[in-house]
Amino acid sequence: MREEDFIFENPENKILDNGFVKVKSPSNIALVKYWGKSEPQIPKNASISFTLYNCFTSTILEYTKKENASKKPNIKVIFEGEEKEAFKPKIEQFFERILIYVPFISDYDYIIKTENSFPHSSGIASSASGMSALALGIMSLEKKLNPDMSEKYFLSKSSFLSRLGSGSAARSIEGPVVVWGKHPKIENSSDLFGTVFPFKIHPIFENYQDTILLVDQGEKQVSSTVGHNLMLDHPYAKNRFIQANQNLERLTEVLQTGELKEFIQIVESEALALHAMMMTSSPYFILMKPNTLKIINKIWDYRKKTNLNICFTLDAGANVHVLFPKDEKREIDTFISNELISFCQNNKYICDSLGEGAEMVI
Ligand code: DP6
């Protein structure tokens, strides 16, 4: 599908009465990372992620018919019960970016009521769940104007709009494993939207666990958007993009064979490669904290001692995602409680597992 295919035409100029939609969209954790992009939100390499289940954003999008259709929509954002002016510029920019694909959005004013099941800006991809929830809300509106659209188009366009809000959000609409970015070995993969991993996944990955250790719940010092831009003239960028695409090719096999030792090697290497890019950017920065490294070393020691299939990955932050198969949960949960939780801020952590993606609630 091309960009033009996502432009909505409203020949009868149908305008809805006032109403609302309610949606829910999860976060995702990348196994092969997206770090580096060009305009308009086109990734420099393909990425792949596990869609999460417990970490999600719920959004109610209230729309009211505007008196004057030529004016910009008036948007009010209420985050966890409180009006948030600070979120408005990003959302307004998103509305401007998507206007060409969903021109009907300028027919309404909006109240966006949104809440997360996890701490905002904690390094858990709140932009992924937040932006995909908003995109899905807008697509729910489009569906009211065009009830005949196919399920496939609905999902692809939801991901397409999500991407224009935040790249990683493109991978949150569906699950449990989603690819975003054109890759020669993955048929139908696209730079424009996420697609479900097209091959049969080995049963060992069913219900795979992700325990997120909240090492630092503060605001990030460097936003992902700034980090992506630093890849534009990064000395290692070219090789990094090649490496990511190769890792995705290897992971494509591993997800089918269930070869967990290889899985661990790819996933941990990707996390460290991402942070190595940050440390070698100009200007350079470090998002890991001392406790991030302590946790990583503990995981390595424990894995060596027990031969269990525990591994870690990192997002653009200090928190550690601990990944392991469901059938090792009992032992690994005990290890996490006894040995890792003390490295978390206020002992906070989230137990998550794979999910199926976003849903329209009403
Ligand atoms: C490290 O999707 O947050 O989590 O497109 O600028 O909104 P923008 O960036 P964002 O970047 C996510 C980067 C990452 C890796 C990943 O999720 O693939």
Side-chain angles (χ1 to χ4, degrees):
M1 256 192 301
R2 300 154 312 155
E3 274 161 322
E4 307 83 274
D5 299 326
F6 291 117
I7 298 176
F8 177 64
E9 287 177 14
N10 192 358
E12 290 157 32
N13 209 9
K14 199 161 143 190
I15 301 190
L16 298 168
D17 286 330
N18 308 341
F20 71 95
V21 290
K22 187 170 180 190
V23 296
K24 193 174 146 179
S25 190
S27 184
N28 66 74
I29 178 68
L31 304 172
V32 171
K33 309 290 180 181
Y34 145 61
W35 199 244
K37 62 177 169 182
S38 52
E39 283 290 330
Q41 294 281 98
I42 299 298
K44 291 284 189 186
N45 61 263
S47 57
I48 188 167
S49 52
F50 281 157
T51 304
L52 298 181
Y53 181 76
N54 288 327
C55 290
F56 59 84
T57 299
S58 299
T59 296
I60 298 173
L61 181 67
E62 290 179 9
Y63 51 93
T64 314
K65 203 168 13 173
K66 252 193 303 134
E67 298 294 306
N68 180 352
S70 63
K71 271 200 358 219
K72 261 182 29 180
N74 201 340
I75 302 171
K76 184 167 164 181
V77 186
I78 300 182
F79 178 66
E80 293 176 355
E82 272 177 41
E83 187 165 353
K84 270 272 189 243
E85 280 289 323
F87 287 4
K88 259 172 76 170
K90 201 166 178 193
I91 294 179
E92 280 172 350
Q93 188 195 27
F94 174 61
F95 273 57
E96 275 162 31
R97 256 198 198 155
I98 63 173
L99 181 65
I100 160 170
Y101 304 104
V102 280
F104 59 85
I105 57 173
S106 53
D107 292 337
Y108 310 93
D109 289 326
Y110 302 91
I111 300 178
I112 301 169
K113 294 181 181 159
T114 184
E115 50 192 40
N116 290 339
S117 65
F118 53 86
H120 171 64
S121 277
S122 58
I124 301 174
S126 59
S127 68
S129 59
M131 281 298 170
S132 55
L134 192 52
L136 190 71
I138 293 190
M139 280 311 291
S140 310
L141 218 66
E142 180 170 325
K143 203 171 162 60
K144 285 178 192 265
L145 296 166
N146 175 21
D148 297 335
M149 87 170 71
S150 72
E151 177 71 4
K152 185 169 179 286
Y153 183 83
F154 178 83
L155 293 171
S156 305
K157 187 164 172 184
S158 295
S159 171
F160 174 86
L161 297 181
S162 302
R163 180 195 110 241
L164 294 171
S166 176
S168 53
R171 299 187 310 243
S172 277
I173 296 294
E174 294 181 86
V177 180
V178 175
V179 177
W180 168 49
K182 184 99 201 105
H183 192 283
K185 293 284 157 72
I186 302 193
E187 218 190 320
N188 296 328
S189 56
S190 169
D191 284 344
L192 301 179
F193 51 89
T195 48
V196 173
F197 182 71
F199 306 106
K200 194 169 163 22
I201 296 170
H202 191 278
I204 194 76
F205 294 107
E206 243 163 59
N207 240 314
Y208 219 71
Q209 303 290 302
D210 178 6
T211 298
I212 309 162
L213 304 177
L214 302 175
V215 171
D216 183 12
Q217 297 170 61
E219 294 274 336
K220 272 189 262 176
Q221 299 117 319
V222 181
S223 75
S224 292
T225 304
V226 170
H228 285 292
N229 285 338
L230 292 175
M231 288 304 281
L232 290 176
D233 52 6
H234 193 293
Y236 306 138
K238 203 168 147 228
N239 281 333
R240 164 61 199 150
F241 303 141
I242 294 172
Q243 177 196 46
N245 283 328
Q246 284 170 346
N247 279 341
L248 179 46
E249 184 166 347
R250 284 167 67 200
L251 202 59
T252 297
E253 287 300 310
V254 168
L255 288 170
Q256 296 171 82
T257 58
E259 187 34 79
L260 286 183
K261 298 293 172 233
E262 174 89 352
F263 174 82
I264 289 170
Q265 213 268 314
I266 300 167
V267 168
E268 291 191 345
S269 158
E270 271 292 313
L272 296 179
L274 168 72
H275 283 257
M277 290 301 107
M278 299 172 188
M279 289 191 252
T280 48
S281 298
S282 176
Y284 45 80
F285 57 104
I286 301 181
L287 295 183
M288 289 187 284
K289 298 280 183 207
N291 281 355
T292 311
L293 294 180
K294 287 191 183 137
I295 291 170
I296 292 174
N297 280 299
K298 284 266 179 194
I299 290 175
W300 283 344
D301 287 347
Y302 178 74
R303 187 164 75 218
K304 207 163 164 198
K305 214 167 66 198
T306 59
N307 210 24
L308 291 172
N309 292 296
I310 181 172
C311 72
F312 73 87
T313 188
L314 306 167
D315 252 339
N319 300 332
V320 182
H321 288 248
V322 186
L323 302 177
F324 52 94
K326 177 83 195 285
D327 61 10
E328 295 177 12
K329 185 169 167 51
R330 209 176 40 84
E331 293 111 297
I332 292 179
D333 275 351
T334 309
F335 162 66
I336 292 175
S337 312
N338 293 344
E339 308 233 13
L340 302 184
I341 298 307
S342 56
F343 296 113
C344 299
Q345 208 177 13
N346 306 320
N347 292 335
K348 286 230 172 79
Y349 64 104
I350 300 170
C351 293
D352 214 334
S353 57
L354 299 205
E356 290 300 322
E359 48 183 286
M360 275 160 66
V361 182
I362 309 174

